[in-house]
Amino acid sequence: PVSTVAPDNGDMAAIPGTFATVRTDTRQALGVVTQQYRPFQNREAFDFMDSIVADRLAMFETAGALKGGRRVWMMARLPGEVRVAGDDVIHPYVLLSNSHDGSQALRMLPTTVRVVCWNTLNLALGRAGAHEGLTIRHYESLDERVAEARRKLGVVVARVDRFAEEAQALAKRTMTR
Protein backbone atom coordinates (compact mmCIF):
# COMPACT_ATOMS: atom_id res chain seq x y z
CA PRO A 1 0.00 0.00 0.00
CA VAL A 2 1.13 3.55 -0.77
CA SER A 3 1.05 6.29 1.85
CA THR A 4 2.04 9.91 1.92
CA VAL A 5 3.05 12.38 4.60
CA ALA A 6 0.35 14.97 5.31
CA PRO A 7 1.90 18.43 4.72
CA ASP A 8 0.10 20.13 7.62
CA ASN A 9 1.05 17.81 10.50
CA GLY A 10 3.49 15.16 9.15
CA ASP A 11 1.09 12.24 9.77
CA MET A 12 1.08 9.30 7.40
CA ALA A 13 -2.03 9.09 5.20
CA ALA A 14 -2.88 6.07 3.04
CA ILE A 15 -3.67 6.65 -0.64
CA PRO A 16 -6.68 4.35 -1.23
CA GLY A 17 -6.43 1.81 -4.05
CA THR A 18 -2.73 2.38 -4.77
CA PHE A 19 0.16 0.01 -4.31
CA ALA A 20 3.89 0.09 -5.00
CA THR A 21 5.52 -2.72 -6.95
CA VAL A 22 8.67 -3.58 -5.01
CA ARG A 23 11.66 -5.76 -5.87
CA THR A 24 12.00 -8.51 -3.30
CA ASP A 25 15.79 -8.64 -3.57
CA THR A 26 16.63 -4.92 -3.21
CA ARG A 27 13.35 -3.65 -1.68
CA GLN A 28 13.43 -0.89 -4.35
CA ALA A 29 10.03 0.50 -5.34
CA LEU A 30 9.59 0.21 -9.12
CA GLY A 31 6.28 2.00 -9.63
CA VAL A 32 2.81 2.76 -8.32
CA VAL A 33 -0.17 0.74 -9.57
CA THR A 34 -3.85 0.25 -8.78
CA GLN A 35 -5.41 -2.71 -6.99
CA GLN A 36 -6.42 -4.28 -10.34
CA TYR A 37 -2.76 -4.63 -11.36
CA ARG A 38 -1.50 -8.20 -11.52
CA PRO A 39 2.29 -8.49 -11.76
CA PHE A 40 3.77 -10.86 -14.31
CA GLN A 41 7.00 -12.09 -12.81
CA ASN A 42 9.91 -12.44 -15.22
CA ARG A 43 9.76 -16.21 -14.78
CA GLU A 44 6.10 -16.28 -15.86
CA ALA A 45 6.58 -13.94 -18.80
CA PHE A 46 9.68 -15.71 -20.07
CA ASP A 47 8.19 -19.22 -19.73
CA PHE A 48 6.43 -18.65 -23.05
CA MET A 49 9.70 -17.84 -24.79
CA ASP A 50 11.27 -20.91 -23.19
CA SER A 51 8.54 -23.08 -24.70
CA ILE A 52 8.93 -21.77 -28.25
CA VAL A 53 12.71 -22.20 -28.02
CA ALA A 54 12.25 -25.75 -26.68
CA ASP A 55 10.00 -26.46 -29.68
CA ARG A 56 12.77 -25.08 -31.96
CA LEU A 57 10.46 -22.36 -33.28
CA ALA A 58 13.01 -19.70 -32.28
CA MET A 59 16.44 -19.30 -30.63
CA PHE A 60 17.34 -16.96 -27.75
CA GLU A 61 19.21 -13.87 -28.92
CA THR A 62 19.32 -11.22 -26.16
CA ALA A 63 17.64 -10.29 -22.90
CA GLY A 64 18.01 -7.46 -20.46
CA ALA A 65 16.67 -5.31 -17.68
CA LEU A 66 16.59 -1.51 -17.65
CA LYS A 67 15.98 1.19 -15.07
CA GLY A 68 16.65 -1.04 -12.09
CA GLY A 69 14.35 -3.79 -13.35
CA ARG A 70 11.40 -1.56 -14.19
CA ARG A 71 11.52 -2.74 -17.81
CA VAL A 72 12.69 -6.16 -19.01
CA TRP A 73 12.87 -7.77 -22.42
CA MET A 74 13.76 -11.04 -24.05
CA MET A 75 14.35 -11.54 -27.75
CA ALA A 76 14.31 -14.73 -29.80
CA ARG A 77 15.46 -15.04 -33.39
CA LEU A 78 13.05 -16.76 -35.75
CA PRO A 79 14.39 -19.34 -38.20
CA GLY A 80 15.42 -18.10 -41.61
CA GLU A 81 16.48 -14.73 -42.85
CA VAL A 82 15.36 -12.13 -45.33
CA ARG A 83 17.78 -11.40 -48.17
CA VAL A 84 16.83 -8.17 -49.81
CA ALA A 85 19.56 -7.47 -52.33
CA GLY A 86 22.90 -9.24 -52.49
CA ASP A 87 24.47 -9.39 -49.05
CA ASP A 88 21.80 -7.31 -47.30
CA VAL A 89 20.50 -9.78 -44.70
CA ILE A 90 17.70 -9.03 -42.23
CA HIS A 91 17.00 -11.34 -39.29
CA PRO A 92 13.44 -11.65 -37.96
CA TYR A 93 12.87 -11.69 -34.20
CA VAL A 94 10.12 -12.07 -31.64
CA LEU A 95 10.42 -9.51 -28.83
CA LEU A 96 8.82 -10.00 -25.44
CA SER A 97 8.77 -6.80 -23.37
CA ASN A 98 7.36 -6.31 -19.88
CA SER A 99 7.30 -3.57 -17.27
CA HIS A 100 7.15 -3.81 -13.50
CA ASP A 101 6.25 -0.17 -12.88
CA GLY A 102 2.75 -0.08 -14.39
CA SER A 103 3.84 1.85 -17.51
CA GLN A 104 3.38 -0.90 -20.11
CA ALA A 105 1.49 -4.11 -20.72
CA LEU A 106 3.38 -7.29 -21.50
CA ARG A 107 3.93 -7.31 -25.27
CA MET A 108 5.13 -9.93 -27.68
CA LEU A 109 5.71 -8.69 -31.20
CA PRO A 110 7.61 -9.31 -34.41
CA THR A 111 10.51 -7.02 -35.21
CA THR A 112 13.66 -6.77 -37.27
CA VAL A 113 15.31 -4.55 -34.64
CA ARG A 114 17.87 -6.44 -32.51
CA VAL A 115 17.22 -5.04 -29.04
CA VAL A 116 20.33 -4.48 -26.93
CA CYS A 117 19.58 -1.26 -25.00
CA TRP A 118 16.92 1.32 -24.08
CA ASN A 119 17.12 3.02 -27.50
CA THR A 120 16.70 -0.15 -29.54
CA LEU A 121 13.89 -1.36 -27.25
CA ASN A 122 12.02 1.91 -27.83
CA LEU A 123 12.73 1.69 -31.57
CA ALA A 124 11.27 -1.82 -31.80
CA LEU A 125 8.22 -0.92 -29.69
CA GLY A 126 7.72 2.34 -31.60
CA ARG A 127 7.80 0.63 -34.99
CA ALA A 128 5.18 -1.90 -33.94
CA GLY A 129 1.59 -0.99 -34.56
CA ALA A 130 -0.70 -0.61 -31.56
CA HIS A 131 -2.48 -3.86 -32.39
CA GLU A 132 0.51 -5.77 -33.68
CA GLY A 133 1.60 -8.92 -31.89
CA LEU A 134 0.11 -9.83 -28.53
CA THR A 135 -0.63 -7.44 -25.67
CA ILE A 136 -1.44 -8.76 -22.22
CA ARG A 137 -2.63 -6.19 -19.73
CA HIS A 138 -1.46 -6.56 -16.16
CA TYR A 139 -4.93 -7.44 -14.97
CA GLU A 140 -5.45 -10.48 -17.20
CA SER A 141 -4.35 -14.05 -16.68
CA LEU A 142 -1.09 -14.82 -18.45
CA ASP A 143 -1.93 -18.53 -18.48
CA GLU A 144 -5.06 -17.95 -20.59
CA ARG A 145 -3.10 -15.98 -23.18
CA VAL A 146 -0.25 -18.44 -23.84
CA ALA A 147 -2.33 -20.50 -26.30
CA GLU A 148 -3.26 -17.32 -28.15
CA ALA A 149 0.40 -16.30 -28.23
CA ARG A 150 1.39 -19.61 -29.80
CA ARG A 151 -1.26 -19.12 -32.50
CA LYS A 152 -0.03 -15.60 -33.14
CA LEU A 153 3.51 -16.87 -33.61
CA GLY A 154 2.29 -18.25 -36.94
CA VAL A 155 1.03 -14.76 -37.81
CA VAL A 156 4.46 -13.36 -36.93
CA VAL A 157 6.18 -15.77 -39.31
CA ALA A 158 3.67 -14.91 -42.06
CA ARG A 159 4.34 -11.20 -41.47
CA VAL A 160 8.08 -11.79 -41.90
CA ASP A 161 7.40 -13.56 -45.21
CA ARG A 162 5.24 -10.64 -46.38
CA PHE A 163 7.96 -8.18 -45.32
CA ALA A 164 10.54 -10.17 -47.32
CA GLU A 165 8.37 -9.99 -50.46
CA GLU A 166 7.83 -6.24 -50.05
CA ALA A 167 11.51 -5.52 -49.37
CA GLN A 168 12.62 -7.58 -52.37
CA ALA A 169 10.08 -5.80 -54.61
CA LEU A 170 11.39 -2.42 -53.44
CA ALA A 171 15.01 -3.49 -53.99
CA LYS A 172 14.22 -4.34 -57.63
CA ARG A 173 12.81 -0.88 -58.36
CA THR A 174 15.07 1.50 -60.19
CA MET A 175 15.36 4.83 -58.44
CA THR A 176 15.05 8.02 -60.41
CA ARG A 177 16.11 11.49 -59.53
Side-chain angles (χ1 to χ4, degrees):
V2 175
S3 298
T4 186
V5 176
D8 56 346
N9 61 11
D11 289 345
M12 294 296 289
I15 303 173
T18 60
F19 298 86
T21 54
V22 179
R23 287 183 61 144
T24 57
D25 58 347
T26 64
R27 306 294 298 159
Q28 177 185 7
L30 301 177
V32 176
V33 297
T34 66
Q35 60 193 19
Q36 287 84 20
Y37 182 89
R38 180 209 182 271
F40 293 138
Q41 301 300 335
N42 293 340
R43 175 185 33 77
E44 292 177 295
F46 294 168
D47 276 351
F48 170 74
M49 293 293 262
D50 287 341
S51 71
I52 65 170
V53 168
D55 291 346
R56 300 184 188 271
L57 300 174
M59 182 172 60
F60 288 126
E61 182 79 15
T62 64
L66 299 163
K67 295 191 172 191
R70 286 175 179 83
R71 183 74 57 92
V72 295
W73 87 88
M74 177 180 279
M75 173 163 269
R77 190 166 140 190
L78 295 169
E81 58 189 27
V82 176
R83 288 198 176 269
V84 179
D87 294 334
D88 190 4
V89 177
I90 299 170
H91 298 285
Y93 301 100
V94 172
L95 171 65
L96 187 143
S97 175
N98 190 27
S99 76
H100 295 294
D101 61 2
S103 65
Q104 174 196 342
L106 184 144
R107 293 198 61 198
M108 184 189 79
L109 53 100
T111 184
T112 56
V113 176
R114 185 175 184 271
V115 176
V116 295
C117 66
W118 182 257
N119 290 339
T120 53
L121 176 61
N122 283 330
L123 179 64
L125 293 171
R127 283 185 175 178
H131 302 290
E132 191 162 8
L134 177 70
T135 300
I136 302 174
R137 307 269 179 245
H138 281 268
Y139 56 84
E140 299 173 357
S141 169
L142 183 62
D143 298 334
E144 295 170 7
R145 302 295 301 269
V146 169
E148 180 182 354
R150 291 185 75 78
R151 285 191 305 274
K152 285 198 174 185
L153 187 60
V155 173
V156 168
V157 172
R159 182 184 176 275
V160 169
D161 292 342
R162 189 174 70 245
F163 168 77
E165 292 170 6
E166 292 170 353
Q168 290 162 358
L170 285 172
K172 289 177 184 174
R173 299 280 308 219
T174 303
M175 294 177 70
T176 63
R177 218 165 231 250

PDB file of all heavy atoms in Angstrom, residues 6-25:
ATOM      1  N   ALA A   6       1.234  13.804   5.362  1.00  0.00           N
ATOM      2  CA  ALA A   6       0.353  14.973   5.313  1.00  0.00           C
ATOM      3  C   ALA A   6       1.194  16.237   5.520  1.00  0.00           C
ATOM      4  O   ALA A   6       1.992  16.305   6.459  1.00  0.00           O
ATOM      5  CB  ALA A   6      -0.727  14.860   6.382  1.00  0.00           C
ATOM      6  N   PRO A   7       1.061  17.241   4.634  1.00  0.00           N
ATOM      7  CA  PRO A   7       1.903  18.428   4.722  1.00  0.00           C
ATOM      8  C   PRO A   7       1.636  19.296   5.961  1.00  0.00           C
ATOM      9  O   PRO A   7       2.535  19.991   6.437  1.00  0.00           O
ATOM     10  CB  PRO A   7       1.585  19.205   3.441  1.00  0.00           C
ATOM     11  CG  PRO A   7       0.286  18.669   2.964  1.00  0.00           C
ATOM     12  CD  PRO A   7       0.151  17.285   3.495  1.00  0.00           C
ATOM     13  N   ASP A   8       0.422  19.232   6.505  1.00  0.00           N
ATOM     14  CA  ASP A   8       0.103  20.125   7.621  1.00  0.00           C
ATOM     15  C   ASP A   8       0.633  19.627   8.966  1.00  0.00           C
ATOM     16  O   ASP A   8       1.073  20.415   9.792  1.00  0.00           O
ATOM     17  CB  ASP A   8      -1.409  20.381   7.700  1.00  0.00           C
ATOM     18  CG  ASP A   8      -2.224  19.098   7.804  1.00  0.00           C
ATOM     19  OD1 ASP A   8      -1.664  18.011   7.547  1.00  0.00           O
ATOM     20  OD2 ASP A   8      -3.419  19.198   8.121  1.00  0.00           O
ATOM     21  N   ASN A   9       0.627  18.292   9.179  1.00  0.00           N
ATOM     22  CA  ASN A   9       1.049  17.814  10.499  1.00  0.00           C
ATOM     23  C   ASN A   9       2.073  16.678  10.439  1.00  0.00           C
ATOM     24  O   ASN A   9       2.494  16.186  11.484  1.00  0.00           O
ATOM     25  CB  ASN A   9      -0.172  17.364  11.304  1.00  0.00           C
ATOM     26  CG  ASN A   9      -0.923  16.226  10.640  1.00  0.00           C
ATOM     27  OD1 ASN A   9      -0.439  15.626   9.689  1.00  0.00           O
ATOM     28  ND2 ASN A   9      -2.112  15.946  11.154  1.00  0.00           N
ATOM     29  N   GLY A  10       2.477  16.205   9.259  1.00  0.00           N
ATOM     30  CA  GLY A  10       3.486  15.159   9.148  1.00  0.00           C
ATOM     31  C   GLY A  10       2.972  13.751   9.387  1.00  0.00           C
ATOM     32  O   GLY A  10       3.756  12.807   9.396  1.00  0.00           O
ATOM     33  N   ASP A  11       1.650  13.577   9.578  1.00  0.00           N
ATOM     34  CA  ASP A  11       1.086  12.243   9.773  1.00  0.00           C
ATOM     35  C   ASP A  11       1.080  11.475   8.451  1.00  0.00           C
ATOM     36  O   ASP A  11       0.978  12.062   7.371  1.00  0.00           O
ATOM     37  CB  ASP A  11      -0.360  12.327  10.287  1.00  0.00           C
ATOM     38  CG  ASP A  11      -0.445  12.814  11.724  1.00  0.00           C
ATOM     39  OD1 ASP A  11       0.597  12.810  12.420  1.00  0.00           O
ATOM     40  OD2 ASP A  11      -1.551  13.198  12.143  1.00  0.00           O
ATOM     41  N   MET A  12       1.168  10.154   8.573  1.00  0.00           N
ATOM     42  CA  MET A  12       1.078   9.295   7.398  1.00  0.00           C
ATOM     43  C   MET A  12      -0.391   9.142   7.010  1.00  0.00           C
ATOM     44  O   MET A  12      -1.243   8.941   7.867  1.00  0.00           O
ATOM     45  CB  MET A  12       1.671   7.913   7.680  1.00  0.00           C
ATOM     46  CG  MET A  12       3.175   7.917   7.927  1.00  0.00           C
ATOM     47  SD  MET A  12       4.130   8.457   6.502  1.00  0.00           S
ATOM     48  CE  MET A  12       3.929   7.091   5.403  1.00  0.00           C
ATOM     49  N   ALA A  13      -0.659   9.255   5.701  1.00  0.00           N
ATOM     50  CA  ALA A  13      -2.026   9.095   5.201  1.00  0.00           C
ATOM     51  C   ALA A  13      -1.995   8.111   4.037  1.00  0.00           C
ATOM     52  O   ALA A  13      -1.220   8.280   3.092  1.00  0.00           O
ATOM     53  CB  ALA A  13      -2.581  10.444   4.745  1.00  0.00           C
ATOM     54  N   ALA A  14      -2.809   7.068   4.108  1.00  0.00           N
ATOM     55  CA  ALA A  14      -2.881   6.072   3.037  1.00  0.00           C
ATOM     56  C   ALA A  14      -3.533   6.677   1.796  1.00  0.00           C
ATOM     57  O   ALA A  14      -4.431   7.515   1.900  1.00  0.00           O
ATOM     58  CB  ALA A  14      -3.678   4.863   3.505  1.00  0.00           C
ATOM     59  N   ILE A  15      -3.052   6.258   0.631  1.00  0.00           N
ATOM     60  CA  ILE A  15      -3.666   6.651  -0.636  1.00  0.00           C
ATOM     61  C   ILE A  15      -4.495   5.452  -1.081  1.00  0.00           C
ATOM     62  O   ILE A  15      -3.938   4.438  -1.514  1.00  0.00           O
ATOM     63  CB  ILE A  15      -2.618   7.030  -1.686  1.00  0.00           C
ATOM     64  CG1 ILE A  15      -1.735   8.159  -1.164  1.00  0.00           C
ATOM     65  CG2 ILE A  15      -3.298   7.405  -3.002  1.00  0.00           C
ATOM     66  CD1 ILE A  15      -0.566   8.489  -2.073  1.00  0.00           C
ATOM     67  N   PRO A  16      -5.821   5.522  -0.962  1.00  0.00           N
ATOM     68  CA  PRO A  16      -6.675   4.355  -1.230  1.00  0.00           C
ATOM     69  C   PRO A  16      -6.509   3.813  -2.645  1.00  0.00           C
ATOM     70  O   PRO A  16      -6.404   4.569  -3.607  1.00  0.00           O
ATOM     71  CB  PRO A  16      -8.094   4.898  -1.032  1.00  0.00           C
ATOM     72  CG  PRO A  16      -7.933   6.141  -0.240  1.00  0.00           C
ATOM     73  CD  PRO A  16      -6.585   6.706  -0.588  1.00  0.00           C
ATOM     74  N   GLY A  17      -6.461   2.475  -2.750  1.00  0.00           N
ATOM     75  CA  GLY A  17      -6.428   1.813  -4.046  1.00  0.00           C
ATOM     76  C   GLY A  17      -5.094   1.854  -4.765  1.00  0.00           C
ATOM     77  O   GLY A  17      -5.016   1.476  -5.928  1.00  0.00           O
ATOM     78  N   THR A  18      -4.030   2.327  -4.120  1.00  0.00           N
ATOM     79  CA  THR A  18      -2.727   2.385  -4.773  1.00  0.00           C
ATOM     80  C   THR A  18      -1.730   1.505  -4.040  1.00  0.00           C
ATOM     81  O   THR A  18      -1.764   1.375  -2.815  1.00  0.00           O
ATOM     82  CB  THR A  18      -2.186   3.825  -4.841  1.00  0.00           C
ATOM     83  OG1 THR A  18      -2.064   4.333  -3.519  1.00  0.00           O
ATOM     84  CG2 THR A  18      -3.080   4.720  -5.669  1.00  0.00           C
ATOM     85  N   PHE A  19      -0.844   0.912  -4.845  1.00  0.00           N
ATOM     86  CA  PHE A  19       0.163   0.009  -4.306  1.00  0.00           C
ATOM     87  C   PHE A  19       1.473   0.233  -5.042  1.00  0.00           C
ATOM     88  O   PHE A  19       1.471   0.590  -6.216  1.00  0.00           O
ATOM     89  CB  PHE A  19      -0.280  -1.449  -4.499  1.00  0.00           C
ATOM     90  CG  PHE A  19      -1.549  -1.760  -3.769  1.00  0.00           C
ATOM     91  CD1 PHE A  19      -2.778  -1.515  -4.357  1.00  0.00           C
ATOM     92  CD2 PHE A  19      -1.510  -2.265  -2.487  1.00  0.00           C
ATOM     93  CE1 PHE A  19      -3.959  -1.780  -3.683  1.00  0.00           C
ATOM     94  CE2 PHE A  19      -2.685  -2.536  -1.794  1.00  0.00           C
ATOM     95  CZ  PHE A  19      -3.906  -2.282  -2.396  1.00  0.00           C
ATOM     96  N   ALA A  20       2.570   0.018  -4.366  1.00  0.00           N
ATOM     97  CA  ALA A  20       3.886   0.086  -4.996  1.00  0.00           C
ATOM     98  C   ALA A  20       4.305  -1.325  -5.387  1.00  0.00           C
ATOM     99  O   ALA A  20       4.094  -2.267  -4.629  1.00  0.00           O
ATOM    100  CB  ALA A  20       4.904   0.688  -4.036  1.00  0.00           C
ATOM    101  N   THR A  21       4.868  -1.456  -6.592  1.00  0.00           N
ATOM    102  CA  THR A  21       5.518  -2.719  -6.946  1.00  0.00           C
ATOM    103  C   THR A  21       6.939  -2.606  -6.413  1.00  0.00           C
ATOM    104  O   THR A  21       7.614  -1.594  -6.614  1.00  0.00           O
ATOM    105  CB  THR A  21       5.520  -2.965  -8.463  1.00  0.00           C
ATOM    106  OG1 THR A  21       6.100  -1.843  -9.126  1.00  0.00           O
ATOM    107  CG2 THR A  21       4.110  -3.181  -8.981  1.00  0.00           C
ATOM    108  N   VAL A  22       7.379  -3.633  -5.706  1.00  0.00           N
ATOM    109  CA  VAL A  22       8.665  -3.579  -5.006  1.00  0.00           C
ATOM    110  C   VAL A  22       9.475  -4.824  -5.348  1.00  0.00           C
ATOM    111  O   VAL A  22       8.953  -5.940  -5.306  1.00  0.00           O
ATOM    112  CB  VAL A  22       8.446  -3.501  -3.474  1.00  0.00           C
ATOM    113  CG1 VAL A  22       9.763  -3.481  -2.724  1.00  0.00           C
ATOM    114  CG2 VAL A  22       7.614  -2.274  -3.125  1.00  0.00           C
ATOM    115  N   ARG A  23      10.758  -4.623  -5.657  1.00  0.00           N
ATOM    116  CA  ARG A  23      11.661  -5.760  -5.875  1.00  0.00           C
ATOM    117  C   ARG A  23      11.884  -6.463  -4.549  1.00  0.00           C
ATOM    118  O   ARG A  23      12.130  -5.811  -3.538  1.00  0.00           O
ATOM    119  CB  ARG A  23      13.011  -5.286  -6.408  1.00  0.00           C
ATOM    120  CG  ARG A  23      12.974  -4.833  -7.845  1.00  0.00           C
ATOM    121  CD  ARG A  23      14.350  -4.456  -8.314  1.00  0.00           C
ATOM    122  NE  ARG A  23      15.250  -5.605  -8.232  1.00  0.00           N
ATOM    123  CZ  ARG A  23      16.206  -5.858  -9.106  1.00  0.00           C
ATOM    124  NH1 ARG A  23      16.390  -5.040 -10.129  1.00  0.00           N
ATOM    125  NH2 ARG A  23      16.988  -6.904  -8.971  1.00  0.00           N
ATOM    126  N   THR A  24      11.797  -7.775  -4.544  1.00  0.00           N
ATOM    127  CA  THR A  24      11.998  -8.506  -3.295  1.00  0.00           C
ATOM    128  C   THR A  24      13.474  -8.602  -2.912  1.00  0.00           C
ATOM    129  O   THR A  24      13.783  -8.745  -1.740  1.00  0.00           O
ATOM    130  CB  THR A  24      11.410  -9.929  -3.381  1.00  0.00           C
ATOM    131  OG1 THR A  24      12.006 -10.608  -4.488  1.00  0.00           O
ATOM    132  CG2 THR A  24       9.899  -9.882  -3.547  1.00  0.00           C
ATOM    133  N   ASP A  25      14.374  -8.498  -3.898  1.00  0.00           N
ATOM    134  CA  ASP A  25      15.791  -8.638  -3.572  1.00  0.00           C
ATOM    135  C   ASP A  25      16.418  -7.348  -3.053  1.00  0.00           C
ATOM    136  O   ASP A  25      17.218  -7.366  -2.132  1.00  0.00           O
ATOM    137  CB  ASP A  25      16.582  -9.182  -4.774  1.00  0.00           C
ATOM    138  CG  ASP A  25      16.460  -8.322  -6.020  1.00  0.00           C
ATOM    139  OD1 ASP A  25      15.580  -7.432  -6.067  1.00  0.00           O
ATOM    140  OD2 ASP A  25      17.235  -8.545  -6.968  1.00  0.00           O
TER     141      ASP A  25
END
